[in-house]
Amino acid sequence: MIIILKQNAEQRAIKALCEELKSQGLSIHESVGEATHILGLIGDTTSIAESWLRASPVVEDVRRVSEPYKKANRKFHPEDTVVTVGGTRIGGGNFAVIAGPCSVESKAQITQVAESVQAAGASLLRGGAFKPRTSPYSFQGMRAEGLELLREARQATGMPIVTEIMNTEHLPLFGDVDLIQVGARNMQNFELLKAVGQSGKPVLLKRGLSATLEELVMSAEYIMAEGNEQVILCERGIRTFENSMRNTLDISAVPMLKKMTHLPVVIDPSHAAGIAWMGEPLAQAAVAAGADGLMIEVHNDPAHAKCDGAQSLTPDQFAVLMGKIGPEAVFFGKTLN
Ligand code: PEP
Ligand code: MN
C-alpha cells in the first residue's frame, strides 16, 4: 500500500502517522521527492482501512498495490482448488453440472427431475426450499418440507443436493445438505457468510446483481477466513442497461476470476438470461471460457413451474444440452464428473 502525503504536511503529524502504522506491525519505506512525499507500507495491509488513512489530515491519496484478499488469492496459492461435494469433484480440471428446478414443489416433481437430470449426466441436484423472491406475494418455497423432499430425492438417486440458505438461523436445518448455496441477494450478508464459513460445508457463492468481481472474491474471503476453503464461485448474470434478457452473462468473469483466485468457477446461464433456449449457447460459452461447471434450472413442467419457469429447460432439452456440453468439456481438457 502506498500513501501519498499532502504537500506542506506537518512533520509532527507525519511522524505520528508513521508511529501508528508501525505499531500495527508495518515497516515504512519513505521516499521524499521535490514535490512528492510518499510512504510505502511493507507488511500485511489487509486490515488497514483506506478510509482510516484518508481521514488523516496529512494524507493526499492512498493506493493499494496488493489485493485485499489473501486466502482466495491465486498469488499465494497457485494450484487450483478442487472442491469435493459428496464425492463429486469440481475444479482443477474436474467439470460438474448442477441441475434441478428453481424450487422444490412436490415429491413427484423433484424425484422425476432428479432422475432425468441424472440420466442426462448431471452429478448434483439443485432445488430451492427457501426462496428469495422479489415479491412477498410470490411462492416462498416449501421450506423445511422442501429440504426433506430433497433428502428423499438424494436417497432415491444418490445425487448430492444443493440448496440455498437465506438466514443464519436456518443453518441447523442444513446439517446434511451437501453444498450450501448463498444466493446473489445474500452475497454481502456478512454474518451469513461467517456462519456458512464456520459450518465447514462446501459453499456455492453466487455473485450479487451488481457486485464487482473483487467484491465477490472478498465475500469468498469471509467464508475462507473462518477456515472453510471449500468455496465455489458462481457467475449468474449482472444488471446492465440491456433489457432483452433478465441479466447479462459476464462471461469474462470466468478467466478473470480464475486469474484472481484458485477457486472453482461455475456459470448459471438460467438466471443470467432468464430464457430457456439461451441456456445451451451460454453453457457452451462457459465451457469454452474455462468454467469448472454449470448450474442449470430444469423443470418437468416449466409452463406450470412455481418459480422461474421461463428459464427452465425440460428434461429433454437438458439432455440435448448435455449431449453437447459433455464432449465440449472434454475437448477443452476437462474431466466430466
Ligand atoms: C436460484 O439459484 O434459484 C437463485 C435464486 O439464484 P440467484 O441468487 O442467482 O438469483
Ligand atoms: Mn431460480
Side-chain angles (χ1 to χ4, degrees):
M1 187 179 254
I2 289 170
I3 301 173
I4 301 155
L5 297 171
K6 283 191 176 143
Q7 278 186 333
N8 311 319
E10 221 186 279
Q11 277 308 321
R12 220 157 29 115
I14 297 175
K15 194 155 177 284
L17 177 64
C18 289
E19 290 309 319
E20 212 167 335
L21 289 164
K22 281 183 197 157
S23 75
Q24 297 192 37
L26 297 164
S27 321
I28 297 171
H29 179 270
E30 205 167 348
S31 138
V32 186
E34 270 194 19
T36 49
H37 189 169
I38 288 171
L39 304 177
L41 305 188
I42 300 156
D44 184 3
T45 57
T46 40
S47 60
I48 306 287
E50 281 180 49
S51 57
W52 167 67
L53 289 169
R54 286 183 199 281
S56 161
V58 295
V59 172
E60 177 73 42
D61 201 3
V62 180
R63 307 229 176 113
R64 271 200 188 275
V65 288
S66 62
E67 299 83 8
Y69 45 92
K70 286 270 175 293
K71 292 187 186 295
N73 200 327
R74 192 179 278 280
K75 277 188 195 153
F76 308 116
H77 187 301
E79 299 293 311
D80 285 339
T81 283
V82 179
V83 175
T84 305
V85 182
T88 298
R89 290 154 67 81
I90 308 178
N94 299 284
F95 190 90
V97 178
I98 306 165
C102 180
S103 56
V104 179
E105 297 172 12
S106 67
K107 183 173 168 68
Q109 174 240 23
I110 191 68
T111 316
Q112 208 177 316
V113 174
E115 282 166 359
S116 57
V117 296
Q118 185 176 43
S123 49
L124 303 170
L125 175 67
R126 68 150 283 150
F130 294 90
K131 291 306 302 176
R133 304 303 300 278
T134 302
S135 166
Y137 309 116
S138 302
F139 175 58
Q140 301 288 306
M142 291 181 77
R143 304 172 70 86
E145 199 185 339
L147 289 180
E148 188 49 37
L149 295 180
L150 277 171
R151 285 187 202 104
E152 288 176 20
R154 174 175 57 195
Q155 182 78 26
T157 58
M159 291 176 95
I161 53 176
V162 186
T163 194
E164 177 167 353
I165 189 164
M166 298 209 303
N167 185 324
T168 51
E169 284 161 25
H170 293 159
L171 202 52
L173 296 173
F174 284 66
D176 66 349
V177 167
D178 300 287
L179 176 59
I180 299 183
Q181 174 174 326
V182 174
R185 288 153 193 85
N186 271 312
M187 188 205 85
Q188 285 189 319
N189 181 339
F190 300 117
E191 290 301 317
L192 183 60
L193 297 175
K194 286 184 207 167
V196 295
Q198 285 158 14
S199 78
K201 289 194 150 292
V203 178
L204 178 74
L205 178 63
K206 300 188 87 174
R207 182 182 184 182
L209 276 67
S210 59
T212 65
L213 295 180
E214 185 171 292
E215 285 165 344
L216 170 61
V217 176
M218 287 306 288
S219 290
E221 191 80 9
Y222 260 91
I223 299 167
M224 299 173 85
E226 299 296 333
N228 183 357
E229 314 254 314
Q230 298 273 292
V231 182
I232 301 168
L233 303 174
C234 179
E235 155 61 27
R236 44 76 75 205
I238 50 173
R239 280 268 165 94
T240 68
F241 47 81
E242 178 53 55
N243 59 15
S244 59
M245 292 158 285
R246 185 173 178 182
N247 292 290
T248 297
L249 178 63
D250 179 10
I251 199 76
S252 21
V254 178
M256 186 53 88
L257 284 171
K258 293 188 78 73
K259 180 171 165 53
M260 294 163 76
T261 88
H262 49 87
L263 300 172
V265 179
V266 309
I267 288 281
D268 168 354
S270 305
H271 291 88
I275 308 168
W277 63 261
M278 214 179 259
E280 187 180 300
L282 296 186
Q284 291 183 300
V287 173
D292 300 290
L294 293 165
M295 176 146 97
I296 298 178
E297 285 187 344
V298 180
H299 197 285
N300 53 335
D301 183 7
H304 295 100
K306 290 195 170 157
C307 183
D308 287 351
Q311 67 196 33
S312 299
L313 299 183
T314 62
D316 286 349
Q317 289 167 332
F318 179 70
V320 171
L321 177 149
M322 287 300 288
K324 294 188 179 169
I325 290 303
E328 283 167 5
V330 173
F331 176 81
F332 283 102
K334 302 278 204 256
T335 304
L336 194 64
N337 287 330

